[in-house]
């Protein structure tokens, strides 16, 4: 909002609504959902459909079936009749109307979705519908499946948490080792500098003692130096031209560096917004890697320590997987590749470990 970016405001409201809903803070979620409707014209079809489903779910929870039906119809008119959220909200609306059999048919369409929250909600609703229709055995079986799936999701979350803890531990250990190495190197550098200063002072004093009696020689050298200064002053125009050329080369180098960082920033923003970068050129990919090395120096040092040099495409994959934490489907969509090819990329990166 401070940047007056309406599209980013819409995306932020949508993410905040999802976060509040996950934390069971319904009032805050409803406020963000309703506020996002003010920017709905800026959304693409996918985001617009998701917002309509969220608004429909909100009205359904409040018991306002008419408005829930209104926004479900808007989803259908938006060309998203087969989206899993539509089946779930449609089933809830049918349940509220007492049309249990039709609700069961709708909710069955989304029990195999990959989204764990949607899948758990679908299984819970299906168990309730079986119980309402008097099918106790199916209801009991669905609740058993729900318990097993919930346990598997919890186990997966624990595994991810343990992996995250392990990564943080490795980062701290690597940082500690780096600090120890830097301290040792610093001590060695200080010792070397002290030795060089000592040797320099001794050599200087020795030279001064030897040259103390050579006043005539000094006078001759002063005369020669003055002549050399006059000669250099006569050739001063050529020296200034050389200096100017060097300054232009430095400025050109700075401009090239700034251009590379700007290109890398633009490509990284595309990754953050989950835009497809399948047509990224080799130069743009290298700019992205250079920018990321400046943006995340610790993570970049960790990669350099963990792996032998990787290809630019493999580094882009690591950015999506380890830094942005996207799942395989999202990474495949961004890179415009098949999900199966990601396993090959991951195995090749694994093979480059030191």
């Amino acid at each position: 909002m401070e940047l007056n970016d309406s599209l980013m405001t819409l995306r932020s409201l949508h993410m905040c609504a999802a976060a509040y809903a996950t934390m069971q803070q319904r009032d805050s979620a409803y406020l963000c959902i309703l506020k996002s409707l003010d920017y709905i014209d800026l959304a693409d079809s996918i985001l617009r459909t998701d917002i309509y489903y969220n608004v429909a779910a909100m009205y359904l929870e409040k018991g306002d079936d008419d408005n829930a039906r209104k926004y479900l119809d808007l989803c259908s008119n938006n060309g998203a009749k087969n989206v899993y959220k539509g089946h779930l909200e449609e089933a809830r609306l049918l349940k509220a109307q007492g049309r249990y059999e039709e609700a069961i048919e709708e909710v069955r369409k989304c029990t195999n979705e990959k989204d764990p929250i949607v899948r758990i909600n679908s299984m819970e609703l299906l168990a309730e519908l079986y119980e309402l229709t008097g099918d106790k055995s199916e209801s009991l079986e669905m609740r058993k499946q729900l318990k097993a799936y919930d346990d598997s999701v919890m186990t997966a979350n624990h595994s991810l948490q343990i992996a995250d803890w392990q990564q943080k531990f490795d980062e701290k250990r690597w940082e500690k080792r780096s600090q120890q190495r830097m301290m040792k190197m610093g001590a060695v550098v200080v010792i070397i500098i002290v030795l060089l200063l000592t040797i320099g002072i001794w050599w200087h004093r020795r030279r001064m003692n030897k040259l103390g009696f050579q006043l005539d020689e000094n006078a001759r050298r002063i005369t020669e130096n003055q002549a050399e200064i006059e000669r250099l002053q006569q050739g001063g125009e050529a020296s200034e031209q050389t200096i100017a050329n060097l300054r232009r080369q430095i400025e050109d180098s700075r401009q090239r560096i700034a251009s590379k960082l700007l290109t890398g920033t633009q490509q990284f923003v595309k990754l953050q917004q989950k835009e497809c970068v399948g047509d990224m050129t080799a130069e743009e990919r290298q700019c992205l890697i250079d920018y990321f090395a400046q943006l995340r120096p610790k993570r970049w040092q960790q990669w350099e320590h963990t792996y032998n040099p990787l290809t630019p495409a493999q580094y882009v994959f690591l950015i999506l997987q380890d830094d942005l934490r996207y799942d395989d489907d999202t990474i495949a969509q961004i890179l415009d590749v098949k999900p199966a090819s990601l396993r090959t990329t991951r195995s090749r990166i694994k093979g480059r470990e030191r």
Side-chain angles (χ1 to χ4, degrees):
M1 290 181 180
E2 293 178 357
L3 296 175
N4 197 25
D5 190 333
S6 300
L7 181 57
M8 289 304 298
T9 300
L10 172 62
R11 295 181 182 274
S12 300
L13 288 169
H14 181 254
M15 289 187 288
C16 288
Y20 281 129
T22 303
M23 296 186 294
Q24 302 299 322
Q25 298 182 17
R26 298 296 182 186
D27 292 338
S28 298
Y30 295 158
L31 180 63
C32 291
I33 290 171
L34 292 176
K35 184 66 176 176
S36 65
L37 290 175
D38 297 338
Y39 305 92
I40 196 66
D41 292 337
L42 301 174
D44 55 25
S45 59
I46 297 176
L47 181 58
R48 186 183 300 112
T49 299
D50 205 17
I51 292 173
Y52 283 153
Y53 281 136
N54 289 336
V55 176
M58 178 194 73
Y59 281 120
L60 196 58
E61 290 183 3
K62 290 180 175 291
D64 191 345
D65 295 347
D66 293 337
N67 277 323
R69 169 56 62 188
K70 170 186 173 183
Y71 282 97
L72 284 176
D73 291 340
L74 286 174
C75 294
S76 299
N77 295 334
N78 197 42
K81 296 181 180 180
N82 296 322
V83 178
Y84 62 89
K85 286 187 178 181
H87 298 307
L88 182 59
E89 302 306 331
E90 184 72 27
R92 286 175 175 170
L93 185 58
L94 292 171
K95 175 191 172 186
Q97 296 173 353
R99 298 157 63 182
Y100 301 138
E101 295 296 336
E102 297 178 37
I104 290 174
E105 292 298 325
E106 284 293 326
V107 78
R108 278 178 177 172
K109 299 176 181 178
C110 52
T111 54
N112 293 324
E113 287 299 327
K114 296 181 179 180
D115 190 335
I117 296 177
V118 175
R119 188 170 181 179
I120 289 173
N121 290 336
S122 302
M123 297 173 75
E124 288 177 348
L125 180 58
L126 193 56
E128 293 174 4
L129 290 170
Y130 280 135
E131 189 171 352
L132 289 172
T133 57
D135 195 343
K136 301 294 185 181
S137 60
E138 287 289 342
S139 177
L140 182 59
E141 179 63 24
M142 185 54 61
R143 292 192 185 279
K144 289 181 180 179
Q145 294 180 14
L146 174 61
K147 179 66 168 58
Y149 181 72
D150 192 37
D151 291 342
S152 67
V153 171
M154 186 176 298
T155 302
N157 289 336
H158 286 167
S159 300
L160 291 175
Q161 189 175 24
I162 291 173
D164 185 59
W165 289 344
Q166 181 65 41
Q167 182 179 359
K168 290 181 180 179
F169 173 76
D170 292 340
E171 288 179 354
K172 288 187 176 295
R173 182 173 61 180
W174 168 248
E175 184 177 355
K176 184 177 180 180
R177 290 179 178 176
S178 298
Q179 290 177 352
Q180 291 175 350
R181 285 196 295 268
M182 290 298 295
M183 291 177 63
K184 292 179 180 178
M185 291 177 61
V188 172
V189 170
V190 169
I191 293 173
I192 292 174
I193 291 175
V194 172
L195 288 175
L196 291 176
L197 287 175
T198 303
I199 294 172
I201 292 173
W202 171 79
W203 180 258
H204 176 70
R205 288 180 177 178
R206 182 171 177 271
R207 290 289 297 171
M208 291 298 296
N209 291 333
K210 284 185 177 181
L211 297 176
F213 60 92
Q214 298 180 352
L215 296 178
D216 294 339
E217 182 68 15
N218 288 336
R220 185 182 64 80
R221 289 185 177 180
I222 289 172
T223 303
E224 292 176 354
N225 289 337
Q226 288 177 346
E228 182 68 14
I229 289 172
E230 292 177 356
R231 187 183 66 80
L232 291 174
Q233 287 178 347
Q234 293 177 357
E237 183 176 355
S239 299
E240 291 294 334
Q241 183 66 30
T242 303
I243 293 172
N245 291 334
L246 292 174
R247 287 177 177 174
R248 279 198 298 270
Q249 293 175 7
I250 293 171
E251 186 64 27
D252 292 341
S253 299
R254 288 176 177 173
Q255 290 178 358
R256 286 195 296 270
I257 293 172
S259 177
K260 286 186 177 180
L261 291 179
L262 177 59
T263 303
T265 303
Q266 293 172 347
Q267 298 302 320
F268 188 73
V269 170
K270 286 185 179 180
L271 297 185
Q272 288 179 316
Q273 296 179 354
K274 300 182 180 179
E275 297 182 9
C276 179
V277 294
D279 58 347
M280 185 189 300
T281 64
E283 183 178 357
E284 290 174 340
R285 189 179 294 111
Q286 187 61 47
C287 291
L288 170 62
I289 295 170
D290 293 339
Y291 169 74
F292 184 82
Q294 300 294 324
L295 182 67
R296 303 276 196 272
K298 290 184 178 180
R299 188 176 294 276
W300 184 259
Q301 290 175 2
Q302 178 187 359
W303 289 350
E304 289 186 328
H305 178 262
T306 305
Y307 305 104
N308 290 314
L310 303 176
T311 64
Q314 291 171 341
Y315 279 123
V316 173
F317 175 80
L318 285 178
I319 292 172
L320 293 169
Q321 176 183 265
D322 295 353
D323 187 74
L324 298 178
R325 302 295 181 89
Y326 292 153
D327 55 33
D328 284 357
D329 291 338
T330 304
I331 295 175
Q333 181 181 359
I334 293 174
L335 297 179
D336 193 20
V337 297
K338 294 181 179 180
S341 65
L342 299 183
R343 291 192 292 270
T344 303
T345 302
R346 190 176 285 111
S347 64
R348 288 178 178 175
I349 293 176
K350 184 73 173 176
R352 300 294 294 173
E353 289 184 354
R354 295 184 186 274

